[in-house]
Amino acid sequence: MLCAATFAAAQSAPAAKPQVVVLATGGTIAGAGATAANSASYQAAKVPVDKLISGLPELANVASVRGEQVFQIASESFTNEHLLTLGKRVAALAAQADVNGIVVTHGTDTLEETAYFLHLTVRTDKPVVVVGSMRPGTALSADGALNLLNAVTVAGEASSRGKGVLVVMNDEIHTGRDVTKSINIRTEAFKSPWGPLGMVVEGKAYWFRAPVKRHTLNSEFDITKLGALPRVDIAYGSGNATDTAYKAFAAAGAKAIVHAGTGNGSVANAVVPALRELRAQGVQIVRSARVVGGGFVIRNAEQPDDQYDWVVAHDLNPQKARILTMLSLAQGADSKTLQRQFLEY
């Protein structure tokens, strides 16, 4: 039995800080401009992770933080191989008992794709938070420092567990499934069509909803079992569209083509015959939509998907549809399985 003095000491002892690892991959959050006035023109991926962490002493108030430099690239150059390398490192860290949360710093151009990939493949309930910035740290009103502090705060909070991979930007907490970059020059660039999960206000996370689609521990995908990912390409629909891009992608080895269609994933009459022919040759055809801000592609509306054996991407945008399609085909899925997965994930 504890004596009164021992009990009082235990009650007054400060709680142990969460252990958070920052995995750096480059991007604007590690960028530098020529002057403080350069917020949109700068060089990405210049500042190493140790300098990012040491330049933000406030991090020590919310967690015990250490960093690893996984890559130092601008995110438009993120390849499938980068996704696999990063995902396996995140999974390895998540399996360590001495790691409570993981933050991935990332360029904003493909941040949403990486976040969704991790959301689908890392089998953990520990918080994994992806973060970037819209302005380099050298700019007036740079947003990276607060974004990183907020990301570490969320990664270290027990309330963040089990919510899948999160994206923290501009004081908002988004699910990696929904969030997308909708603006390219303002700090409120990242939006979710169904709204954020919560907010970070003065060092505390406030939650308003939780994701209901399958992810992380409930996912049938597992980063530790993934090898090379099959080629999946995106072709953009527009007025006066032709079948040139679709045929070229298939000839180059694409196992699936995501059609970024107008409206309800519509396909121009001039393109339909080529897509039917490609499907007959074994190429999966996925109808997504280029529209921004919500809604989803309805199966057997605009096109007879059942008849053509095509798949609809539901509410996933083309770039996220590519991620899910790659993972599905890596496991040898047929069109029926792929369609199920689009509805469940």
Side-chain angles (χ1 to χ4, degrees):
M1 181 177 296
L2 290 175
C3 68
T6 303
F7 180 78
Q11 291 292 96
S12 62
K17 291 178 183 176
Q19 304 291 310
V20 175
V21 180
V22 177
L23 296 179
T25 70
T28 301
I29 196 168
T35 73
N38 293 119
S39 63
S41 56
Y42 51 86
Q43 284 189 299
K46 301 296 290 183
V47 182
V49 65
D50 290 344
K51 190 170 182 179
L52 284 178
I53 293 172
S54 64
L56 191 56
E58 292 81 3
L59 290 172
N61 297 328
V62 298
S64 177
V65 180
R66 63 181 177 87
E68 294 182 16
Q69 193 77 50
V70 186
F71 312 117
Q72 187 66 296
I73 58 175
S75 72
E76 66 268 21
S77 297
F78 235 78
T79 65
N80 290 349
E81 289 70 28
H82 289 117
L83 288 174
L84 289 166
T85 299
L86 176 63
K88 290 178 188 297
R89 185 57 187 145
V90 171
L93 287 169
Q96 294 182 199
D98 62 345
V99 174
N100 301 110
I102 300 159
V103 170
V104 177
T105 65
H106 200 288
T108 58
D109 280 1
T110 59
L111 183 151
E112 65 192 85
E113 295 165 58
T114 297
Y116 189 46
F117 179 83
L118 299 175
H119 188 72
L120 293 175
T121 62
V122 179
R123 305 290 293 275
T124 184
D125 68 345
K126 292 182 180 179
V128 177
V129 180
V130 186
V131 65
S133 73
M134 295 305 298
R135 296 171 178 167
T138 52
L140 294 170
S141 300
D143 56 326
L146 183 56
N147 285 349
L148 181 56
L149 178 61
N150 285 344
V152 170
T153 298
V154 172
E157 286 209 8
S159 65
S160 303
R161 293 182 71 109
K163 292 182 172 67
V165 173
L166 305 168
V167 172
V168 173
M169 295 276 291
N170 198 44
D171 298 334
E172 294 181 332
I173 308 169
H174 295 267
T175 169
R177 180 196 186 272
D178 293 349
V179 75
T180 189
K181 184 177 182 178
S182 61
I183 306 168
N184 69 337
I185 55 171
R186 298 210 302 261
T187 56
E188 68 271 28
F190 281 78
K191 304 292 182 183
S192 294
W194 315 120
L197 302 184
M199 292 191 68
V200 187
V201 180
E202 294 188 352
K204 180 173 174 55
Y206 294 86
W207 303 95
F208 303 103
R209 68 181 186 94
V212 298
K213 298 286 189 176
R214 292 176 64 180
H215 60 77
T216 52
L217 283 180
N218 293 319
S219 175
E220 63 201 270
F221 308 110
D222 186 344
I223 186 65
T224 65
K225 299 176 181 178
L226 278 175
L229 294 168
R231 176 170 179 163
V232 176
D233 286 303
I234 301 171
Y236 203 80
S238 64
N240 203 47
T242 70
D243 59 16
T244 302
Y246 305 87
K247 291 180 176 179
F249 284 141
K255 303 304 180 185
I257 297 174
V258 176
H259 169 69
T262 54
N264 184 29
S266 304
V267 184
N269 290 337
V271 175
V272 171
L275 295 192
R276 295 189 67 185
E277 180 181 348
L278 292 175
R279 181 68 196 101
Q281 295 171 5
V283 178
Q284 294 286 354
I285 304 299
V286 179
R287 288 199 303 120
S288 183
R290 70 181 200 183
V291 297
V292 177
F296 49 83
V297 177
I298 302 170
R299 187 168 179 83
N300 294 316
E302 299 292 344
Q303 293 294 330
D305 298 298
D306 288 346
Q307 178 185 341
Y308 295 166
D309 196 26
W310 293 352
V311 173
V312 298
H314 196 47
D315 67 324
L316 290 179
N317 63 27
Q319 54 269 35
K320 292 193 177 184
R322 185 186 75 90
I323 296 293
L324 180 55
T325 302
M326 286 194 305
L327 292 171
S328 182
L329 297 189
Q331 295 187 343
D334 59 14
S335 59
K336 290 183 174 56
T337 299
L338 181 56
Q339 185 63 80
R340 171 185 63 78
Q341 290 167 336
F342 269 107
L343 295 175
E344 293 181 1
Y345 291 90

